[in-house]
Amino acid sequence: ILFTIGQIDYAQAQKLEGDKGDKKEINASYRRAIDRWDRLVSKYPNTEESSLALYRIALIYEEKLGDLDKALDAYRRLTWGAYAGRARSRVAMMTRKQLTLTTERKFRTNESAKVKLSVRNIKKLTFKQYSLDLAAYFRKTHAIGRMAQLDIDLIQPDKTWEVKIDGYAKYKPIEQVVEIPFEKGQAGVCIVNVSEDDLEATTLVIRSDLELIARTSRRETLVFVQNVRTDAPAAGVDLLLSDGQKVFATGKTGKDEAPEEKPQETDAEEKGE
């Protein structure tokens, strides 16, 4: 009964969230659920109902109220029942360092190039930027992924700087966007390496106005390259074609010109009138 009553308050808080209700009222409903379930844990320890109740309490503190210290304490208190294993996993996740680095898209030359960090328990990071000859890299690897496999430790970076994590708090997961420096209006490709004492991550950043469409038959490949900023065909672009093992063909885009329009004949001209 205590669990069900707490669940009613929990469901009410979720409904208020879905309706974009008052934040104070939402938090009050969550805290009422915590109070109900705290009574359950105190009165009926070592039961499956109290195992789930304490796990729910910890989740509310972590995900809804943002009180990470109380969340961690609740997870650590949960040592019985079906939810004890999940609680141990949450403790491990909250207390270890985490670092993820992603480039979400390609950037145009009139845009700032940016990467996204997802971190936990890290106060600051060291950024290193390495310029990359993408054509030479493609000839070697026949792909533009696998950045983590590059041995860049012995290479001098083009730029190095430190970034402090905004809003850092212990145990708190944080996402942050960081701008990567490029010459104004210039295209380019670079490798970005991010590190701290125990962790590092690497990603590829591309700044370009070019897009291509390729169509292949048994004997031929047609490639159309366009400058998407000017909305015009891009001439003089070097092309490399690989089968995954070797570069079997190269080429260069030509200068496409719009066909000349033929003058339209009138009915009178066609009839000789």
Side-chain angles (χ1 to χ4, degrees):
I1 292 172
L2 283 172
F3 183 84
T4 301
I5 295 173
Q7 184 65 24
I8 292 171
D9 290 318
Y10 182 81
Q12 177 65 21
Q14 288 189 311
K15 184 179 184 302
L16 289 170
E17 274 189 319
D19 296 339
K20 298 182 180 180
D22 182 70
K23 184 67 175 177
K24 289 184 178 180
E25 191 176 352
I26 293 170
N27 289 348
S29 292
Y30 279 127
R31 292 190 181 280
R32 283 196 297 272
I34 288 175
D35 291 340
R36 307 285 192 189
W37 287 334
D38 263 336
R39 287 182 58 199
L40 168 59
V41 173
S42 176
K43 195 170 183 178
Y44 301 100
N46 301 316
T47 63
E48 287 300 323
E49 289 82 2
S50 63
S51 177
L52 175 55
L54 187 52
Y55 185 73
R56 287 278 186 86
I57 289 170
L59 281 178
I60 292 173
Y61 278 130
E62 180 188 359
E63 298 178 351
K64 305 300 183 181
L65 302 180
D67 193 331
L68 302 180
D69 287 316
K70 286 186 177 180
L72 193 58
D73 177 68
Y75 286 131
R76 284 171 170 163
R77 285 165 51 203
L78 181 49
T79 57
W80 71 91
Y83 290 84
R86 297 190 191 185
R88 286 193 297 270
S89 297
R90 301 295 290 195
V91 169
M93 183 186 70
M94 289 182 65
T95 55
R96 70 171 178 260
K97 293 179 180 179
Q98 297 175 26
L99 170 61
T100 303
L101 175 68
T102 56
T103 305
E104 296 189 320
R105 63 183 179 89
K106 184 167 67 176
F107 301 91
R108 305 305 177 200
T109 56
N110 61 344
E111 296 179 311
S112 297
K114 298 176 181 179
V115 296
K116 187 171 81 171
L117 290 168
S118 299
V119 300
R120 194 197 292 257
N121 297 321
I122 296 175
K123 291 183 178 180
K124 67 179 180 178
L125 290 161
T126 299
F127 273 70
K128 295 178 182 178
Q129 183 181 11
Y130 304 83
S131 297
L132 179 66
D133 183 335
L134 193 58
Y137 178 75
F138 183 81
R139 284 183 179 274
K140 182 177 180 181
T141 64
H142 309 282
I144 61 170
R146 309 168 189 168
M147 291 298 110
Q149 299 177 13
L150 281 174
D151 187 7
I152 58 177
D153 292 337
L154 302 179
I155 303 174
Q156 185 69 24
D158 297 290
K159 291 184 176 68
T160 302
W161 69 99
E162 287 191 345
V163 172
K164 292 184 178 180
I165 302 302
D166 296 336
Y168 169 81
K170 199 172 182 180
Y171 313 129
K172 180 182 178 181
I174 299 172
E175 289 189 349
Q176 184 168 330
V177 175
V178 178
E179 183 175 340
I180 305 302
F182 278 87
E183 292 293 331
K184 185 176 180 180
Q186 295 297 310
V189 180
C190 70
I191 299 167
V192 176
N193 176 266
V194 179
S195 63
E196 65 94 56
D197 294 338
D198 303 321
L199 300 172
E200 69 173 340
T202 305
T203 189
L204 182 71
V205 180
I206 299 176
R207 197 176 191 226
S208 173
D209 296 328
L210 301 180
E211 295 284 357
L212 69 82
I213 298 173
R215 294 291 182 266
T216 304
S217 67
R218 289 185 177 183
R219 296 179 180 273
E220 295 178 318
T221 295
L222 173 66
V223 180
F224 175 73
V225 182
Q226 181 180 20
N227 184 316
V228 293
R229 283 192 63 198
T230 62
D231 199 27
V237 177
D238 292 319
L239 302 173
L240 303 176
L241 282 74
S242 169
D243 60 6
Q245 300 296 323
K246 63 182 183 299
V247 173
F248 63 86
T250 61
K252 188 184 293 286
T253 57
K255 183 178 180 181
D256 292 6
E257 297 181 355
E260 294 183 2
E261 293 187 4
K262 294 181 180 180
Q264 298 293 323
E265 296 182 348
T266 66
D267 291 340
E269 290 173 336
E270 289 176 354
K271 295 176 181 178
E273 299 175 356

